[in-house]
Amino acid sequence: MIRSAKPSDVPAIHAMIRELADYERAPQEAKATEEQLREALFGAHPAVFALIAEEAGGAGEPAAPVGFALWFRNFSTWTGTHGVYLEDLYVTPRARGGGHGKALLAELARICVERGYARFEWSVLDWNEPAIGFYAALGAEAMDEWTVRRLSGEPLRALAAQAMGTAVTSDFLSEATSLSN
């Protein structure tokens, strides 16, 4: 079953994000806290949204989260419409092969079509052959001419300092960055 996430799902989402970071060989980069996720998903102005894949529990046991999709709206200046950007898709190893990943993607596709969104996009690591094959089987095209770029850490702070019109210390920008997270 696929459903929208609720605040009580935050600990499970957080744990699955950690598992995903381990799988992607970058556990040290998964720094988000449960509090940050709770605010982003359920605060006064949600910036991201999540779907939960559940499996029915055994006799008398409640359904348990076995996967999630975390997404946000983007916008295409070319189509003049919003779209969905899938930040993370994860299904626990024990539940893989049960159709949960496909069901999560199908629900996001339904949201796109229902709301008139023109695009549904995501990134995949170039070494993740199982995921690449899975996405290709769904008809997702590789955007081979596009390359992702990212600013973070010191280069991000240095560029921000240029916008501020003055040299700003790294300590000040680091503090400002932590306050906005």
Side-chain angles (χ1 to χ4, degrees):
M1 177 176 100
I2 305 300
R3 63 172 175 77
S4 293
K6 51 192 177 195
S8 61
D9 293 316
V10 169
I13 293 168
H14 186 256
M16 288 187 280
I17 288 170
R18 302 288 307 167
E19 289 176 26
L20 176 59
D22 285 341
Y23 176 77
E24 291 184 349
R25 306 172 191 160
Q28 71 285 355
E29 293 181 37
K31 297 175 184 176
T33 65
E34 287 184 23
E35 294 76 27
Q36 288 172 314
L37 291 172
R38 189 171 285 105
E39 180 63 27
L41 289 163
F42 304 107
H45 303 287
V48 297
F49 309 93
L51 297 173
I52 298 292
E54 287 184 322
E55 279 188 345
E61 293 182 27
V66 295
F68 78 100
L70 193 132
W71 63 279
F72 54 89
R73 287 187 329 163
N74 59 14
F75 185 80
S76 169
T77 57
W78 289 16
T79 67
T81 62
H82 285 285
V84 163
Y85 186 84
L86 175 63
E87 178 65 23
D88 283 333
L89 175 70
Y90 183 75
V91 175
T92 60
R94 70 171 182 75
R96 290 183 189 150
H100 302 292
K102 186 175 184 179
L104 286 163
L105 292 174
E107 179 61 13
L108 285 170
R110 185 197 65 76
I111 289 168
C112 284
V113 170
E114 181 180 90
R115 296 180 185 180
Y117 297 170
R119 295 179 179 167
F120 176 18
E121 300 174 314
W122 61 90
S123 297
V124 61
L125 290 166
D126 60 4
W127 56 260
N128 192 345
E129 291 298 327
I132 291 168
F134 172 64
Y135 299 144
L138 295 174
E141 14 171 355
M143 304 298 291
D144 292 334
E145 294 179 357
W146 295 87
T147 302
V148 175
R149 298 286 182 214
R150 177 180 294 163
L151 274 176
S152 62
E154 192 55 42
L156 176 63
R157 288 188 287 275
L159 187 57
Q162 291 178 27
M164 297 173 90
T166 182
V168 178
T169 67
S170 292
D171 290 340
F172 172 80
L173 287 171
S174 181
E175 178 66 22
T177 303
S178 70
L179 292 175
S180 68
N181 291 334

